[in-house]
Amino acid sequence: QVQLVESGGGLVQAGGSLRLSCAASGGIFSSYVLGWLRQAPGKEREFVARISRIGNITSYADSVKGRFTISRDNGKNAVYLQMNSLKPEDTAVYYCAAGTQTLDYWGQGTQVTVSS
């Protein structure tokens, strides 16, 4: 089973940028589809972005399309989320996720707070 550890969260002003990283261990990293989910206070966890096993196919939630970019480095067992033009509504705990088909395994999350 894969273990996931996120880093890179923090406090940023609206319009700023952050880059989240996720280090994976266990399992065969290149066999996993990877993604990012987020959960804001009082809201359900929601999909943010997803990337295929070799990184050639990505998908995004409409709310982040054009602002966020997901990428992966199979040589480093890592997945990233570059977040630009951040908005207060992006404030949430961000979770790295992995799975062979669906995103079944999650990390412990990293807090992102965007101030207005």
Side-chain angles (χ1 to χ4, degrees):
Q1 182 174 330
V2 64
Q3 288 83 45
L4 304 165
V5 179
E6 304 93 337
S7 61
L11 173 64
V12 64
Q13 288 188 333
S17 298
L18 279 175
R19 188 191 194 212
L20 304 183
S21 299
C22 175
S25 60
I28 301 174
F29 186 76
S30 59
S31 70
Y32 292 113
V33 173
L34 301 170
W36 290 91
L37 309 173
R38 68 185 182 185
Q39 187 167 18
K43 295 187 177 181
E44 294 188 353
R45 194 170 299 189
E46 65 176 2
F47 167 78
V48 175
R50 174 186 172 112
I51 189 166
S52 61
R53 292 173 181 80
I54 61 173
N56 60 328
I57 300 172
T58 58
S59 61
Y60 298 91
D62 287 343
S63 59
V64 307
K65 202 171 293 184
R67 300 188 298 122
F68 290 10
T69 302
I70 188 171
S71 61
R72 66 187 293 166
D73 186 336
N74 286 351
K76 295 182 178 179
N77 286 8
V79 60
Y80 309 98
L81 185 69
Q82 178 66 43
M83 305 186 295
N84 298 329
S85 301
L86 283 161
K87 304 175 181 180
E89 51 263 45
D90 294 318
T91 295
V93 177
Y94 283 71
Y95 298 89
C96 175
T100 54
Q101 297 291 335
T102 55
L103 300 174
D104 297 323
Y105 305 104
W106 303 333
Q108 83 289 350
T110 186
Q111 176 70 47
V112 172
T113 302
V114 184
S115 63
S116 56

